[in-house]
Coordinates of all heavy atoms in Angstrom, one line a residue:
A13 N 11.3 14.3 10.2 CA 10.3 14.8 9.2 C 10.5 14.0 7.9 O 9.5 13.7 7.2 CB 10.5 16.3 9.0
A14 N 11.7 13.6 7.6 CA 11.9 13.0 6.3 C 11.3 11.6 6.3 O 10.6 11.2 5.4 CB 13.5 12.8 6.0
F15 N 11.5 10.9 7.4 CA 10.9 9.5 7.5 C 9.3 9.6 7.5 O 8.6 8.9 6.8 CB 11.4 8.8 8.8 CG 10.9 7.4 8.9 CD1 11.5 6.4 8.2 CD2 9.8 7.1 9.7 CE1 11.0 5.1 8.3 CE2 9.3 5.8 9.8 CZ 10.0 4.8 9.1
E16 N 8.8 10.5 8.3 CA 7.3 10.7 8.4 C 6.8 11.1 7.1 O 5.8 10.6 6.6 CB 7.0 11.8 9.5 CG 7.3 11.4 10.9 CD 6.4 10.3 11.4 OE1 5.3 10.1 10.8 OE2 6.7 9.6 12.3
G17 N 7.5 12.0 6.3 CA 7.1 12.4 5.0 C 7.1 11.3 4.0 O 6.2 11.2 3.2
T18 N 8.1 10.5 4.1 CA 8.2 9.3 3.2 C 7.0 8.3 3.5 O 6.4 7.8 2.5 CB 9.5 8.6 3.4 OG1 10.6 9.5 3.1 CG2 9.6 7.4 2.5
I19 N 6.8 8.1 4.7 CA 5.7 7.2 5.0 C 4.3 7.8 4.6 O 3.5 7.1 4.0 CB 5.6 6.8 6.5 CG1 6.8 6.0 6.9 CG2 4.3 6.1 6.9 CD1 7.0 4.7 6.3
G20 N 4.2 9.1 4.8 CA 3.0 9.8 4.3 C 2.8 9.7 2.8 O 1.7 9.4 2.3
L21 N 3.9 9.8 2.1 CA 3.8 9.7 0.6 C 3.5 8.2 0.2 O 2.7 8.0 -0.8 CB 5.1 10.1 -0.1 CG 5.4 11.6 -0.1 CD1 6.8 11.9 -0.6 CD2 4.3 12.3 -0.9
L22 N 4.1 7.3 0.9 CA 3.7 5.9 0.7 C 2.2 5.6 1.0 O 1.6 4.8 0.2 CB 4.6 4.9 1.5 CG 6.0 4.8 1.0 CD1 6.9 4.1 2.0 CD2 6.1 4.1 -0.3
I23 N 1.6 6.2 2.0 CA 0.2 6.0 2.3 C -0.6 6.6 1.1 O -1.6 5.9 0.7 CB -0.1 6.6 3.6 CG1 0.5 5.8 4.7 CG2 -1.6 6.8 3.8 CD1 0.4 6.5 6.1
I24 N -0.2 7.7 0.6 CA -0.9 8.3 -0.5 C -0.8 7.5 -1.8 O -1.7 7.2 -2.5 CB -0.4 9.8 -0.8 CG1 -0.8 10.7 0.4 CG2 -0.9 10.3 -2.1 CD1 -0.1 12.0 0.4
A25 N 0.4 7.0 -2.0 CA 0.6 6.1 -3.2 C -0.2 4.8 -3.0 O -0.8 4.4 -4.0 CB 2.1 5.7 -3.3
N26 N -0.3 4.2 -1.8 CA -1.1 3.1 -1.7 C -2.6 3.4 -1.9 O -3.3 2.6 -2.4 CB -0.9 2.6 -0.2 CG -1.5 1.2 0.0 OD1 -1.7 0.4 -0.9 ND2 -1.9 1.0 1.3
T27 N -3.0 4.6 -1.5 CA -4.4 4.9 -1.7 C -4.7 5.0 -3.2 O -5.8 4.6 -3.6 CB -4.7 6.3 -1.0 OG1 -4.4 6.1 0.4 CG2 -6.1 6.7 -1.1
V28 N -3.8 5.7 -3.9 CA -3.9 5.8 -5.4 C -4.0 4.4 -6.0 O -4.8 4.1 -6.9 CB -2.8 6.7 -6.0 CG1 -2.8 6.6 -7.5 CG2 -2.9 8.1 -5.4
V29 N -3.1 3.5 -5.6 CA -3.1 2.2 -6.2 C -4.4 1.5 -5.9 O -5.0 0.8 -6.8 CB -1.9 1.3 -5.6 CG1 -2.1 -0.1 -5.9 CG2 -0.6 1.9 -6.2
M30 N -4.9 1.6 -4.7 CA -6.2 1.0 -4.3 C -7.4 1.6 -5.2 O -8.3 0.9 -5.6 CB -6.5 1.1 -2.8 CG -5.7 0.3 -2.0 SD -6.1 0.2 -0.2 CE -6.0 1.9 0.3
A31 N -7.3 2.9 -5.4 CA -8.3 3.5 -6.2 C -8.3 3.0 -7.7 O -9.4 2.7 -8.3 CB -8.2 5.0 -6.2
V32 N -7.1 2.9 -8.2 CA -6.9 2.4 -9.5 C -7.4 0.9 -9.7 O -8.0 0.5 -10.7 CB -5.5 2.5 -10.1 CG1 -5.3 1.9 -11.4 CG2 -5.2 4.0 -10.2
E33 N -7.1 0.2 -8.6 CA -7.5 -1.2 -8.5 C -9.1 -1.4 -8.6 O -9.6 -2.2 -9.2 CB -6.9 -2.0 -7.3 CG -7.3 -3.5 -7.3 CD -6.6 -4.1 -6.1 OE1 -6.1 -3.5 -5.2 OE2 -6.7 -5.4 -6.2
M34 N -9.7 -0.4 -7.8 CA -11.2 -0.5 -7.8 C -11.7 -0.1 -9.2 O -12.8 -0.7 -9.6 CB -11.7 0.5 -6.7 CG -11.5 0.0 -5.3 SD -12.3 -1.6 -5.0 CE -10.9 -2.7 -5.2
Q35 N -11.0 0.8 -9.9 CA -11.5 1.1 -11.2 C -11.4 -0.1 -12.1 O -12.3 -0.4 -12.9 CB -10.6 2.3 -11.8 CG -11.0 2.7 -13.2 CD -12.3 3.3 -13.3 OE1 -12.8 3.9 -12.4 NE2 -13.0 3.1 -14.4
Y36 N -10.3 -0.8 -11.9 CA -10.1 -2.1 -12.7 C -11.2 -3.1 -12.4 O -11.8 -3.7 -13.3 CB -8.6 -2.7 -12.4 CG -8.4 -4.0 -12.9 CD1 -8.0 -4.2 -14.3 CD2 -8.5 -5.2 -12.1 CE1 -7.8 -5.5 -14.7 CE2 -8.2 -6.4 -12.6 CZ -7.8 -6.6 -14.0 OH -7.6 -7.8 -14.4
V37 N -11.5 -3.3 -11.1 CA -12.5 -4.2 -10.7 C -13.9 -3.8 -11.3 O -14.7 -4.6 -11.7 CB -12.6 -4.3 -9.2 CG1 -13.8 -5.1 -8.6 CG2 -11.3 -5.0 -8.6
G38 N -14.2 -2.5 -11.2 CA -15.4 -2.0 -11.7 C -15.5 -2.2 -13.2 O -16.6 -2.6 -13.7
L39 N -14.4 -2.0 -14.0 CA -14.5 -2.3 -15.4 C -14.7 -3.8 -15.6 O -15.5 -4.1 -16.5 CB -13.1 -1.9 -16.0 CG -12.9 -1.9 -17.5 CD1 -13.9 -1.0 -18.2 CD2 -11.5 -1.6 -17.9
D40 N -14.1 -4.6 -14.9 CA -14.3 -6.0 -15.0 C -15.8 -6.4 -14.7 O -16.4 -7.2 -15.4 CB -13.3 -6.8 -14.1 CG -13.3 -8.3 -14.4 OD1 -13.2 -8.6 -15.6 OD2 -13.3 -9.1 -13.4
L41 N -16.3 -5.9 -13.7 CA -17.7 -6.1 -13.3 C -18.7 -5.6 -14.3 O -19.6 -6.3 -14.7 CB -18.1 -5.5 -11.9 CG -19.4 -5.8 -11.4 CD1 -19.7 -7.3 -11.2 CD2 -19.6 -5.1 -10.1
G42 N -18.4 -4.4 -14.8 CA -19.3 -3.9 -15.9 C -19.2 -4.7 -17.1 O -20.3 -4.9 -17.7
N43 N -18.1 -5.3 -17.4 CA -18.0 -6.2 -18.6 C -18.8 -7.5 -18.3 O -19.5 -8.0 -19.1 CB -16.5 -6.5 -18.9 CG -16.4 -7.5 -20.1 OD1 -16.2 -8.7 -19.8 ND2 -16.5 -7.0 -21.3
H44 N -18.6 -8.0 -17.1 CA -19.2 -9.3 -16.7 C -20.8 -9.2 -16.7 O -21.4 -10.1 -17.2 CB -18.8 -9.6 -15.2 CG -19.4 -10.9 -14.7 ND1 -19.0 -12.1 -15.2 CD2 -20.4 -11.1 -13.8 CE1 -19.7 -13.1 -14.6 NE2 -20.5 -12.5 -13.7
I45 N -21.3 -8.1 -16.3 CA -22.8 -7.9 -16.4 C -23.3 -7.3 -17.8 O -24.4 -7.1 -18.0 CB -23.3 -7.0 -15.2 CG1 -22.8 -5.6 -15.4 CG2 -23.0 -7.6 -13.9 CD1 -23.5 -4.6 -14.4
Q46 N -22.3 -7.2 -18.7 CA -22.5 -6.8 -20.1 C -23.1 -5.4 -20.1 O -24.0 -5.1 -20.9 CB -23.4 -7.8 -20.8 CG -22.8 -9.2 -20.9 CD -23.7 -10.2 -21.5 OE1 -24.9 -10.0 -21.7 NE2 -23.1 -11.3 -21.9
F47 N -22.5 -4.5 -19.3 CA -22.9 -3.1 -19.3 C -22.4 -2.5 -20.6 O -21.2 -2.7 -20.9 CB -22.4 -2.4 -18.0 CG -22.9 -1.0 -17.9 CD1 -24.2 -0.8 -17.4 CD2 -22.2 0.1 -18.2 CE1 -24.7 0.5 -17.2 CE2 -22.7 1.4 -18.1 CZ -24.0 1.6 -17.5
E48 N -23.2 -1.7 -21.3 CA -22.8 -1.1 -22.5 C -21.5 -0.3 -22.4 O -21.4 0.5 -21.5 CB -23.9 -0.3 -23.1 CG -23.7 0.2 -24.5 CD -24.9 1.0 -25.1 OE1 -26.0 0.7 -24.7 OE2 -24.6 1.9 -25.9
G49 N -20.6 -0.5 -23.3 CA -19.4 0.3 -23.3 C -18.2 -0.2 -22.4 O -17.2 0.4 -22.4
M50 N -18.5 -1.3 -21.7 CA -17.5 -1.8 -20.8 C -16.6 -2.9 -21.5 O -17.2 -3.8 -22.0 CB -18.1 -2.4 -19.5 CG -18.7 -1.4 -18.6 SD -17.4 -0.4 -17.8 CE -18.3 1.1 -17.6
D51 N -15.3 -2.6 -21.5 CA -14.4 -3.6 -22.2 C -13.9 -4.6 -21.1 O -14.0 -4.4 -19.9 CB -13.2 -2.8 -22.8 CG -13.6 -1.9 -23.8 OD1 -14.5 -2.2 -24.7 OD2 -13.0 -0.7 -23.9
N52 N -13.4 -5.7 -21.7 CA -12.9 -6.7 -20.7 C -11.6 -6.1 -20.1 O -10.6 -5.8 -20.8 CB -12.5 -7.9 -21.5 CG -12.1 -9.1 -20.7 OD1 -11.6 -8.9 -19.6 ND2 -12.1 -10.3 -21.2

Side-chain angles (χ1 to χ4, degrees):
F15 184 80
E16 293 291 340
T18 300
I19 293 299
L21 288 174
L22 286 169
I23 290 169
I24 292 168
N26 188 31
T27 303
V28 170
V29 168
M30 289 189 302
V32 173
E33 183 178 11
M34 288 300 99
Q35 180 67 30
Y36 172 79
V37 169
L39 185 62
D40 192 46
L41 183 60
N43 178 263
H44 180 73
I45 65 171
Q46 298 176 345
F47 190 79
E48 186 177 330
M50 290 289 145
D51 298 321
N52 185 342

